[in-house]
């Protein structure tokens, strides 16, 4: 996928990643630390994580096409390098989302809200800490990639003062 309605697909797809990865990260952390939320969200959590995961390589591939069609600058190369690092974070979000969903489903199927008490708390703490770490890493990476992309696209490409007649009073 290279163009959508005459525009580089990357420019449009990146907005999906910027929304879905942080949304997935937030949902994962909430579900990992709050079992009732995990049961309510159910299969929606791993489905959301799967969609977020799928958008990452689509956006990266569209970005690689775009990279071949713009001037190669240090900012573009930096953005490309950072963009290649998001897939492992998205995979981590997906794997943890499946795990949290599976554990919540098993607890619901057994008619209890938790695994046996001696296992439940350490498991919840581990899932919460791991989910928080991967979620934070994913969100920070999305921010860094987006910041580098904005700099690559806009640095030196606009006037700091108004150029006239828009009605900006």
């Amino acid at each position: 996928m290279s163009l959508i309605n005459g525009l580089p697909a990357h420019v449009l797809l990146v907005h999906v990643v910027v929304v879905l990865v942080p949304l997935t990260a937030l949902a994962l952390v909430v579900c990992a630390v709050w079992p009732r939320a995990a049961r309510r969200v159910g299969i929606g959590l791993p489905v959301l994580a799967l969609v977020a995961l799928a958008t990452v390589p689509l956006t990266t591939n569209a970005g690689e096409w775009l990279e071949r069609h713009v001037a190669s600058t240090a900012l573009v190369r930096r953005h490309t390098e950072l963009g290649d690092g998001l897939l492992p974070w998205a995979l981590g979000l997906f794997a943890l989302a499946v795990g949290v969903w599976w554990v919540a489903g098993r607890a619901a199927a057994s008619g209890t809200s938790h695994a046996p008490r001696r296992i439940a708390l350490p498991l919840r703490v581990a899932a919460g800490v791991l989910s928080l770490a991967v979620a934070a890493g994913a969100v920070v990476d999305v921010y860094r990639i987006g910041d580098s992309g904005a700099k690559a696209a806009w640095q030196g490409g606009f006037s700091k003062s108004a150029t006239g007649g828009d009605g900006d009073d």
Side-chain angles (χ1 to χ4, degrees), residues 54-108:
T55 63
V56 171
L58 285 174
T59 304
T60 302
N61 288 339
E64 289 170 357
W65 177 90
L66 182 58
E67 181 184 19
R68 292 187 302 270
H69 292 84
V70 298
S72 180
T73 66
L75 291 173
V76 169
R77 288 188 300 275
R78 176 72 176 145
H79 176 63
T80 302
E81 289 171 14
L82 288 172
D84 288 338
L86 185 57
L87 188 57
W89 292 111
L91 281 167
L93 289 173
F94 176 68
L96 285 166
V98 169
V100 167
W101 165 74
W102 185 77
V103 169
R106 294 207 20 110

Side-chain angles (χ1 to χ4, degrees), residues 3 11 26 30 51 68 94-95 105 111 140 151 168:
L3 295 173
V11 175
L26 176 63
V30 168
V51 173
R68 292 187 302 270
F94 176 68
V140 167
K151 287 177 181 170
D168 290 346

Side-chain angles (χ1 to χ4, degrees), residues 3-161:
L3 295 173
I4 297 175
N5 200 27
L7 294 173
H10 180 74
V11 175
L12 301 172
L13 291 172
V14 72
H15 292 88
V16 178
V17 171
V18 166
V19 170
L20 288 185
V21 170
L23 181 63
T24 301
L26 176 63
L28 174 62
V29 170
V30 168
C31 290
V33 300
W34 190 14
R36 184 174 293 167
R39 288 190 305 276
R40 285 185 183 241
V41 174
I43 191 74
L45 178 63
V47 168
L48 176 64
L50 180 62
V51 173
L53 172 61
T55 63
V56 171
L58 285 174
T59 304
T60 302
N61 288 339
E64 289 170 357
W65 177 90
L66 182 58
E67 181 184 19
R68 292 187 302 270
H69 292 84
V70 298
S72 180
T73 66
L75 291 173
V76 169
R77 288 188 300 275
R78 176 72 176 145
H79 176 63
T80 302
E81 289 171 14
L82 288 172
D84 288 338
L86 185 57
L87 188 57
W89 292 111
L91 281 167
L93 289 173
F94 176 68
L96 285 166
V98 169
V100 167
W101 165 74
W102 185 77
V103 169
R106 294 207 20 110
S110 70
T112 64
S113 61
H114 305 289
R117 276 265 188 239
R118 61 181 165 61
I119 299 171
L121 185 58
L123 185 60
R124 280 186 46 209
V125 169
V129 169
L130 194 54
S131 295
L132 185 59
V134 171
V139 170
V140 167
D141 209 33
V142 166
Y143 171 81
R144 292 177 65 221
I145 295 164
D147 181 61
S148 70
K151 287 177 181 170
W154 290 101
Q155 194 160 20
F158 66 97
S159 173
K160 292 185 180 181
S161 61

